[in-house]
Amino acid sequence: MTRKPAIEDVALQLFASEGFEGASLGRIADAVGIRKPSIYAHFRSKEDLFLCVFKRTLRRKQYMLLRHILQDTERPFEETLRELVERLMDDHESDAETRFLLRMCYFPPSALHDQVMALVNPFFAQAELGLIRLLEQPVHSERLRPECAQEAALAYLTVLDGVMAEAIYTTRAKAARRLEAIWPVYCRGVLIAE
Amino acid sequence: MTRKPAIEDVALQLFASEGFEGASLGRIADAVGIRKPSIYAHFRSKEDLFLCVFKRTLRRKQYMLLRHILQDTERPFEETLRELVERLMDDHESDAETRFLLRMCYFPPSALHDQVMALVNPFFAQAELGLIRLLEQPVHSERLRPECAQEAALAYLTVLDGVMAEAIYTTRAKAARRLEAIWPVYCRGVLIAE
DNA sequence: ATCGAACGAACTAACGGTCGTTAGGTTGTA
DNA sequence: TACAACCTAACGACCGTTAGTTCGTTCGAT
């Protein structure tokens, strides 16, 4: 019965709340209930542990994102997109995985900056492409202002990050206020006026 | 000839690029050109050094922000607000102060979380109030959709953070793309249709 | 003569990491 | 069925390094 998954889970939590440099292997081991050298039975180094956790998290989130976006393409896209923001706000509050991912995308450990960005860039590119694919569906693009699918996708990502920013530095409740304020603005801005 | 300002400047830069835990007093001292114990002639501890730098930065940014927002209230507010985003993108690229402030608002050193937030919250509240005060000027509010100054202010802050998010994790150029995409959306969303 | 900035030396604690060993389960062979 | 061989997770002890911090002293300007 290996403690490997437990190590990854605990590392994720501590990396999310203390950062890479702030989370020591000793405290990770303590929280798992093992001794520090035992970690090296499963990971070659602290950096290796970090990258394993990071890749796993990226994989899961990518799957979740694309599934959410492309799962019901008939539904009005505003509903799908707004629900996605709300879901990410919930996730940010309840699971450390989202907090970890956001933190490390913003401020990766500086020694691993290039490696992390080489993973993150395709992730963001995929998300943007998925959004554009959704908005270019005829059902939706005929409701959008002309030639505007890519702009609407970019604008949405901006809204998403802006709301999540508030979730990071204050609370879910205040982030929800931001969403209430900007969502009608976003919709009026990208939809054809009736 | 005291090295105190130099220490603060270097600490700012290293805190901005490596984080609080990632920046050591030894490397700060090296970059200043002094020895590590000399820092203690000016600051009681690493945390004290951090808080001094943080307060100074907050003070300066607050002054800059309010000045920018309320300096020419006759000018169309879209111009003022868009220029502010562009200015912050420039600052983020060129001066470490903006990078430091953003990083530490998002992810303060966990031991100092409460102290930092007690400083940051009034800062954000002031910024929001300044924006509302601008938008409630009759010249502007008559062009806004009715009863919408506060929403327009909140939405603007969301846009701002969303654009800055891209500046943080990629580049100024990609952040500018976001601004291009969202700015017409924002304006259409808050202004009365003509 | 005084005062503060800066220093060398040194402290304790903690860091990431290595090594040789142990305990428990699985497998190979007879 | 028996038992040795093997594997692997976990461990205690410990390595060299660096962290933040303290202390007593020096040095230059007032």
Side-chain angles (χ1 to χ4, degrees):
Chain A
M1 192 146 96
T2 176
R3 316 300 310 268
K4 186 167 181 178
I7 295 172
E8 291 184 344
D9 289 346
V10 167
L12 180 89
Q13 300 221 34
L14 282 179
F15 286 151
S17 59
E18 322 270 345
F20 178 76
E21 295 87 356
S24 76
L25 293 180
R27 289 180 41 226
I28 292 172
D30 280 351
V32 175
I34 59 176
R35 299 290 141 211
K36 188 172 53 165
S38 310
I39 293 176
Y40 286 83
H42 306 282
F43 304 95
R44 286 193 310 280
S45 65
K46 189 186 185 184
E47 296 189 352
D48 181 41
L49 167 59
F50 173 84
L51 287 172
C52 285
V53 174
F54 188 75
K55 285 175 190 165
R56 190 191 70 172
T57 306
L58 215 51
R59 221 179 308 122
R60 290 188 189 173
K61 274 291 170 216
Q62 175 144 14
Y63 179 77
M64 185 281 264
L65 274 181
L66 290 181
R67 193 181 141 91
H68 186 112
I69 292 174
L70 299 172
Q71 142 179 345
D72 182 1
T73 51
E74 303 300 315
R75 199 174 163 206
F77 75 92
E78 319 90 273
E79 288 183 21
T80 304
L81 296 189
R82 185 181 163 129
E83 197 182 70
L84 180 58
V85 185
E86 284 169 350
R87 176 163 176 182
L88 286 172
M89 291 192 320
D90 289 340
D91 287 356
H92 182 270
E93 201 181 29
S94 63
D95 89 83
E97 211 161 41
T98 307
R99 291 194 297 273
F100 169 76
L101 190 62
L102 275 174
R103 178 167 195 157
M104 294 312 161
C105 288
Y106 278 105
F107 305 108
S110 53
L112 300 175
H113 179 273
D114 292 352
Q115 286 176 71
V116 169
M117 281 309 150
L119 297 166
V120 167
N121 288 332
F123 171 80
F124 283 145
Q126 270 287 339
E128 192 175 329
L129 276 176
L131 272 175
I132 294 176
R133 232 173 82 197
L134 172 71
L135 295 175
E136 276 177 347
Q137 300 258 340
V139 199
H140 302 135
S141 63
E142 69 188 9
R143 298 178 53 233
L144 283 176
R145 302 172 66 90
E147 309 292 333
C148 148
Q150 186 175 341
E151 282 73 14
L154 260 177
Y156 173 72
L157 288 174
T158 310
V159 167
L160 179 61
D161 280 333
V163 172
M164 292 309 290
E166 181 83 355
I168 292 173
Y169 45 61
T170 65
T171 61
R172 205 217 105 105
K174 297 190 77 180
R177 271 181 69 225
R178 280 201 175 187
L179 181 58
E180 294 302 329
I182 202 164
W183 198 249
V185 173
Y186 175 74
C187 290
R188 276 197 295 272
V190 298
L191 290 172
I192 293 176
E194 311 215 345
Chain B
M1 191 157 89
T2 175
R3 316 302 312 267
K4 187 168 179 177
I7 296 171
E8 290 183 344
D9 289 346
V10 168
L12 180 90
Q13 299 221 36
L14 281 179
F15 286 151
S17 59
E18 322 271 343
F20 178 76
E21 294 88 356
S24 76
L25 293 180
R27 287 177 45 221
I28 292 171
D30 281 350
V32 175
I34 59 176
R35 298 291 142 210
K36 190 170 50 162
S38 309
I39 294 177
Y40 286 82
H42 306 282
F43 304 95
R44 287 193 309 282
S45 65
K46 189 185 184 185
E47 295 189 353
D48 181 41
L49 168 58
F50 173 85
L51 287 172
C52 286
V53 174
F54 188 75
K55 285 175 190 165
R56 190 191 70 172
T57 306
L58 215 51
R59 222 180 308 122
R60 289 189 189 173
K61 274 291 169 216
Q62 176 145 13
Y63 179 77
M64 186 281 265
L65 274 180
L66 290 182
R67 193 181 142 91
H68 186 112
I69 291 175
L70 299 172
Q71 132 180 349
D72 181 2
T73 51
E74 304 299 316
R75 198 174 164 207
F77 75 91
E78 320 89 274
E79 287 183 22
T80 305
L81 295 189
R82 183 180 165 132
E83 197 181 70
L84 180 57
V85 184
E86 283 169 350
R87 177 162 175 183
L88 286 172
M89 290 191 321
D90 289 340
D91 288 355
H92 182 269
E93 201 181 29
S94 63
D95 90 84
E97 211 162 41
T98 307
R99 290 194 296 274
F100 169 77
L101 190 62
L102 275 173
R103 178 167 195 157
M104 294 312 161
C105 287
Y106 278 107
F107 305 107
S110 53
L112 301 175
H113 180 274
D114 291 353
Q115 286 176 73
V116 169
M117 282 307 151
L119 298 166
V120 167
N121 288 331
F123 171 79
F124 283 145
Q126 270 288 339
E128 192 175 329
L129 276 177
L131 272 174
I132 293 176
R133 231 172 84 197
L134 173 70
L135 295 176
E136 275 176 350
Q137 300 259 340
V139 198
H140 302 135
S141 63
E142 68 189 8
R143 299 178 52 234
L144 284 177
R145 303 172 66 90
E147 308 293 331
C148 147
Q150 185 175 342
E151 282 72 15
L154 262 177
Y156 173 72
L157 288 174
T158 310
V159 167
L160 179 61
D161 280 333
V163 172
M164 292 309 291
E166 182 82 356
I168 292 173
Y169 45 63
T170 67
T171 62
R172 205 217 107 104
K174 298 190 78 180
R177 272 181 68 226
R178 280 200 176 188
L179 181 59
E180 294 302 330
I182 203 164
W183 198 249
V185 172
Y186 175 74
C187 291
R188 274 197 295 273
V190 297
L191 290 171
I192 293 175
E194 314 216 345

